[in-house]
């Protein structure tokens, strides 16, 4: 058995102030690390939850997003004729030809314009998205200048609330309902009749075709057929995949940003821990000499000081993670990288982020403690005892 | 002061020399020391400051290395041991008593005394029994949960004595054990050391400046400029 754990632990407690200050430095780093990872995760989750696995999104080949896509009416009809498209109640195809347009609308509080997605929808668009629910009012009547607004639009944009009027496409539109799309990107959209919106925006083509698969396993064959049809030059993706691809650039950016910041900050925190631990070793030189005289090995001394530094790191990690967990209560609204529309999402703390944060804090503790511990272990017994 | 019983020497020192390097200067500290310490002896080492008393004690205790010569303790030539073997040897054969007690501030009296037992195979329960026994011996069983800062100098030195004898070592080395204590506490500590020697037969090697302390010893040796002289 070596030097008891309580020795390392109580020494940290004895110099509480230094311990707290040093741990705070590491806590800050872990906080930054955890929060950016949580943000990336929150964004990814929001966008992935936006899609359903059994839905297929068809857009122009290489378009990347619905905004950049265009699907001719004739092409849309060919897609609609595919045998894999599911048939719903009343013999209606579960397929929607949709239009996606980006416009600017002023925000309620700041009066500053921000991007909003206008989606022209068909009769089954709502049924295709089980995560979208009408919570207030009714659906727009086909052929009318009526729209429904996502929860975020209704709350944050002027004229977005129920009964209010929005102006875009050189027309006035009455908001007749509000829908809640849970934690998904649809909350930042306005939905109206696709034909009315195509007229208003003078768009001759759809943006995308979305349909439900009759059988989930039919995806590969329908994709094969659509992508190899010489008349089409379209691509088909599962809806989950489609939104995950959209989030990729942003989450990657956030992760790289988070890791870069973390590495820079952690250098400071590690140096801080190192200074603290060197001071601890210097203050306890006689003690180290005594322990060695009593028969404890150099390795025991090394372990005791590294353990002390690991405790310090873990303490910082737990504090940082504790504060980071509160960020789950915060909702951030930002631009969607692909559509440049308002997108609201949260910080999502996962188990993986938690253990990675703690592991990282332990690593900082280890890096900060290694050299001081090596100095402690390398001391000559008589010289250490004479330092009284 | 001669003990009547003849016993084989527990410490045999032959041709011991030790010097320190200061810069490129060689400072001889101990010169050709030759002497034996009988088992059960209570020896006091005296001499002026800088004469090499602590150095000699450290060599006997196995925390310093001699330049040349032999130190055989209980039949073991400690110069031949590796660092790890020497550490293990110290933990079972040497009890240390320091001038400034050298207790670990963050450990209680109990835990300080228990420390050397952590290097043995004893169970927690056995360790506990041992610690309580020796703390009772130094009259500190009531204080075992106190931290060193909550104890007087004399009490701290008694805890240190308990720590020194907990593994039942072959020799006790004490470097000015009363040097930091008032007269009464010093008297008290010396009584304990004397008792350990007399009742438990411990071999004690004590460095001291204090003639009163030396009086307790059976034998006093003087060190002068690295040379040992008889009384
Ligand atoms: N690590 C070292 N490096 C250089 N010189 C040393 C070292 N240790 C001891 N010395 C020298 O060796 C000599 C003897 O030292 P030592 O500590 O043994 O003396 P001492 O008899 O115990 O003196 P004191 O009564 O003051 O404690 C001194 O001159 C000292 O300066
Ligand atoms: Mg000395």
């Amino acid at each position: 058995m070596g030097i008891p754990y309580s020795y390392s632990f109580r020494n940290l407690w004895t110099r509480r102030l230094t311990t707290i200050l040093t741990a705070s430095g590491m806590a800050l780093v872990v906080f930054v690390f955890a929060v950016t990872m949580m943000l990336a995760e929150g964004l990814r989750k929001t966008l992935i939850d936006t899609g359903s696995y059994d839905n297929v999104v068809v857009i122009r080949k290489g378009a990347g997003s619905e905004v950049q896509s265009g699907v001719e009416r004739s092409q849309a009809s060919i897609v609609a004729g595919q045998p894999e498209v599911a048939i719903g109640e009343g013999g209606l195809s579960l397929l929607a030809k949709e239009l996606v347009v980006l416009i600017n609308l002023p925000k309620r509080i700041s009066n500053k314009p921000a991007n909003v997605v206008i989606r022209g929808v068909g009769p089954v668009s709502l049924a295709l998205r089980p995560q979208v629910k009408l919570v207030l009012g009714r659906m727009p009547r086909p052929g009318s200048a009526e729209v429904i607004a996502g929860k975020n639009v209704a709350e944050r944009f002027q004229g977005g609330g129920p009964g209010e009027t929005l102006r875009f496409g050189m027309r006035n539109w009455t908001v007749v309902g509000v829908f809640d799309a849970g934690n998904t990107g649809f909350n930042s959209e306005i939905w109206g009749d696709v034909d009315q919106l195509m007229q208003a925006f003078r768009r001759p083509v759809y943006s995308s075709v979305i349909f439900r698969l009759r059988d989930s396993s039919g995806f590969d064959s329908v994709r094969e057929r659509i992508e190899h049809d010489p008349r089409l030059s379209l691509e088909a993706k599962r809806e989950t995949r489609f939104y995950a691809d959209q989030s990729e650039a942003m989450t990657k950016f956030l992760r790289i940003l988070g890791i870069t910041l973390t590495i820079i900050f952690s250098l400071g925190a590690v140096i801080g821990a190192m200074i603290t631990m060197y001071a601890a070793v210097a203050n306890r030189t006689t003690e180290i000499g005594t322990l060695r005289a009593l028969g404890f090995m150099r390795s025991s001394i090394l372990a005791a000081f590294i353990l002390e530094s690991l405790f310090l790191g873990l303490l910082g990690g737990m504090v940082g993670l504790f504060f980071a967990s509160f960020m789950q209560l915060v909702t951030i609204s930002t631009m969607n990288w692909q559509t440049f529309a308002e997108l609201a999402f949260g910080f999502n703390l996962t188990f993986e982020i938690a253990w990675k944060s703690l592991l990282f804090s332990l690593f900082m503790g280890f890096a900060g403690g290694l050299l001081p511990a090596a100095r402690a272990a390398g001391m000559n017994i008589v010289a250490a005892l004479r330092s009284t | 002061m001669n003990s009547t019983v003849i016993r084989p020497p527990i410490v045999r020192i032959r041709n011991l020399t030790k010097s320190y390097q200061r810069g490129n200067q060689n400072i001889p500290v101990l010169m050709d020391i030759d002497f034996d310490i009988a088992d059960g002896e209570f020896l006091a080492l005296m001499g002026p400051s800088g004469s090499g008393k602590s150095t000699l004690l450290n060599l006997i205790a196995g925390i310093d290395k001699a330049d040349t010569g032999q130190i055989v303790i209980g039949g073991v030539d400690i110069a031949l041991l590796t660092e790890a073997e020497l550490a293990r040897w110290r933990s079972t054969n040497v009890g240390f008593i320091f001038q400034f007690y050298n207790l670990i501030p963050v450990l209680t009296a109990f835990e300080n005394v228990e420390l050397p037992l952590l290097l043995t195979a004893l169970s927690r329960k056995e360790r506990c029994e041992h610690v309580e026994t020796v703390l009772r011996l130094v009259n500190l069983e009531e204080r075992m949960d106190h931290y060193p800062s909550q104890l007087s100098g004399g009490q701290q030195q008694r805890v240190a004595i308990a720590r020194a004898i907990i593994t039942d070592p072959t020799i006790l080395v004490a470097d000015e054990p009363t040097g930091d204590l008032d007269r009464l506490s010093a008297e008290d500590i010396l009584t304990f050391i004397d008792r350990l020697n007399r009742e438990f037969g411990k071999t004690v090697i004590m460095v001291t400046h204090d003639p009163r302390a030396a009086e307790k010893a059976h034998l006093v040796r003087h060190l002068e400029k690295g040379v040992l002289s008889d009384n």
Side-chain angles (χ1 to χ4, degrees), chain B residues 53-55 175-176 207:
Chain B
K53 306 180 294 294
S54 296
T55 305
D175 198 343
E176 303 192 33
V207 167

Side-chain angles (χ1 to χ4, degrees), chain A residues 56-274:
Chain A
V56 179
V57 179
V58 182
I59 54 172
R60 200 188 63 218
K61 202 164 267 177
S65 76
E66 288 172 287
V67 178
Q68 293 149 31
S69 164
V71 179
E72 308 272 343
R73 285 174 186 273
S74 60
Q75 296 178 326
S77 301
I78 293 170
V79 174
Q82 299 299 316
E84 285 85 357
V85 176
I87 308 294
E89 284 168 53
L92 214 57
S93 275
L94 286 178
L95 175 138
K97 303 164 183 172
E98 299 187 344
L99 173 75
V100 173
V101 184
L102 268 178
I103 60 157
N104 265 315
L105 287 177
K107 288 211 188 186
R108 279 193 200 279
I109 298 172
S110 60
N111 202 28
K112 284 203 184 109
N115 283 330
V116 172
V117 169
I118 307 286
R119 184 179 296 272
V121 297
V124 299
S125 285
L126 194 65
L128 281 171
R129 278 112 179 174
Q131 68 276 43
V132 180
K133 292 192 178 63
L134 197 68
V135 288
L136 216 76
R138 56 175 175 81
M139 290 298 289
R141 273 192 303 265
S144 71
E146 292 176 347
V147 292
I148 52 174
K151 210 178 58 173
N152 292 337
V153 175
E155 279 169 13
R156 298 179 194 210
F157 286 87
Q158 290 178 20
E164 295 185 303
T165 305
L166 291 162
R167 179 155 182 91
F168 57 82
M170 288 175 294
R171 264 212 241 172
N172 286 329
W173 306 79
T174 310
V175 180
V176 297
V178 174
F179 60 88
D180 183 353
N183 220 356
T184 71
F186 294 121
N187 271 336
S188 305
E189 296 188 355
I190 295 168
W191 290 10
D193 180 66
V194 67
D195 295 317
Q196 293 297 311
L197 286 164
M198 283 171 89
Q199 268 178 35
F201 286 105
R202 300 181 207 295
R203 294 283 179 97
V205 298
Y206 297 111
S207 301
S208 58
V209 177
I210 288 109
F211 64 87
R212 169 83 41 86
L213 287 166
R214 186 191 296 269
D215 177 357
S216 188
S217 61
F219 173 72
D220 288 332
S221 60
V222 73
R223 194 201 62 198
E224 190 83 350
R225 207 163 325 105
I226 288 171
E227 293 188 351
H228 289 103
D229 192 321
R231 296 165 295 173
L232 293 181
S233 83
L234 299 175
E235 63 181 7
K237 285 181 182 174
R238 286 194 189 268
E239 204 180 26
T240 42
R241 185 60 208 259
F242 175 75
Y243 286 109
D245 286 353
Q246 288 207 346
S247 72
E248 205 147 300
M250 182 71 157
T251 49
K252 206 173 193 176
F253 169 76
L254 282 174
R255 288 212 173 93
I256 290 172
L257 181 76
I259 287 167
T260 311
L261 282 178
T262 303
I263 287 172
I264 295 168
F265 283 13
S266 67
L267 280 179
V270 166
I271 290 169
M274 207 179 278

Side-chain angles (χ1 to χ4, degrees), chain A residues 1-4 6-8 10-11 14 286-298 300 380-382 385-386 388, chain B residues 20 58 62-64 83-85 87-88 90-91 96 98 100 102-108 111 115-116 118-119 127 147 163:
Chain A
M1 206 189 292
I3 297 165
S6 53
Y7 171 76
S8 306
R10 284 189 212 157
N11 271 303
T14 303
T286 316
E287 221 169 291
I288 294 162
T290 306
L291 288 167
R292 290 283 311 285
L294 293 181
F296 287 96
M297 306 277 185
R298 289 184 196 278
S300 298
N380 171 281
I381 303 177
V382 175
L385 285 173
R386 279 173 67 94
T388 322
Chain B
Y20 281 111
N58 291 342
I63 56 174
D64 206 351
E83 190 181 85
E85 287 168 341
R88 216 167 303 128
R90 279 196 305 274
S91 71
F96 287 90
F98 302 94
F100 300 104
N102 291 19
L103 298 177
I104 309 299
V106 298
L107 300 181
T108 62
E111 290 163 333
L115 216 41
L118 297 178
L119 294 162
R127 293 202 303 267
Y147 287 91
R163 178 179 68 185

Side-chain angles (χ1 to χ4, degrees), chain A residues 349-365:
Chain A
L349 180 59
T350 62
F351 182 68
E352 190 189 347
I353 294 174
W355 74 253
K356 276 186 178 165
S357 300
L358 291 182
L359 198 71
F360 180 67
S361 68
L362 283 173
F363 171 75
M364 282 194 290

Side-chain angles (χ1 to χ4, degrees), chain B:
Chain B
M1 296 256 283
N2 277 343
S3 52
T4 44
V5 196
I6 309 288
R7 280 187 277 191
I10 190 99
V11 179
R12 270 171 60 102
I13 297 174
R14 293 290 176 273
N15 308 74
L16 183 71
T17 62
K18 172 76 184 174
S19 55
Y20 281 111
Q21 213 69 36
R22 199 176 293 157
N24 49 13
Q25 215 181 339
N26 194 47
I27 303 159
V29 179
L30 296 174
M31 273 157 302
D32 210 20
I33 306 277
D34 259 302
F35 87 117
D36 291 349
I37 302 171
D39 192 8
E41 183 71 273
F42 185 170
L43 170 78
L45 265 178
M46 296 190 78
S49 187
S51 56
K53 306 180 294 294
S54 296
T55 305
L56 180 57
L57 198 69
N58 291 342
L59 287 167
I60 296 171
I63 56 174
D64 206 351
K65 283 274 179 194
D67 297 344
T68 60
Q70 223 185 13
I71 304 174
V72 181
I73 299 173
V76 179
D77 186 347
I78 61 171
L80 302 178
L81 300 179
T82 64
E83 190 181 85
E85 287 168 341
L86 197 57
R88 216 167 303 128
W89 176 82
R90 279 196 305 274
S91 71
T92 53
N93 290 282
V94 186
F96 287 90
I97 303 169
F98 302 94
Q99 180 175 2
F100 300 104
Y101 335 123
N102 291 19
L103 298 177
I104 309 299
V106 298
L107 300 181
T108 62
F110 181 97
E111 290 163 333
N112 266 287
V113 176
E114 188 190 21
L115 216 41
L117 292 185
L118 297 178
L119 294 162
T120 67
L122 292 185
S123 72
R124 194 189 183 84
K125 197 166 150 284
E126 289 169 317
R127 293 202 303 267
C128 201
E129 283 165 6
H130 279 60
V131 173
E132 278 169 10
T133 308
V134 292
L135 278 175
R136 206 168 305 125
L137 194 72
V138 295
N139 292 331
L140 279 175
E141 68 267 43
E142 322 266 78
R143 300 292 187 132
M144 61 186 194
D145 292 327
H146 285 55
Y147 287 91
S149 61
Q150 298 167 323
L151 299 171
S152 72
Q155 288 170 331
Q156 289 188 57
Q157 194 62 302
R158 269 145 63 192
V159 175
I161 289 174
R163 178 179 68 185
I165 57 173
I166 188 81
T167 55
D168 195 20
T170 319
I171 55 171
L172 278 181
V173 296
D175 198 343
E176 303 192 33
T178 58
D180 195 49
L181 296 173
D182 60 82
R183 211 171 57 75
L184 238 63
S185 305
E187 196 64 43
D188 188 40
I189 291 303
L190 287 168
T191 309
F192 273 112
I193 294 176
D194 187 44
R195 235 186 104 194
L196 291 175
N197 171 253
R198 236 197 289 256
E199 280 178 37
F200 300 92
K202 294 276 154 235
T203 305
V204 179
I205 308 158
M206 176 176 74
V207 167
T208 186
H209 280 294
D210 179 3
R212 240 190 299 260
E215 262 172 37
K216 294 271 183 187
H218 306 161
L219 187 66
V220 181
R221 301 293 300 261
H222 287 268
L223 206 54
E224 199 108 26
K225 290 185 180 145
V227 180
L228 203 62
S229 64
D230 286 326
N231 200 6

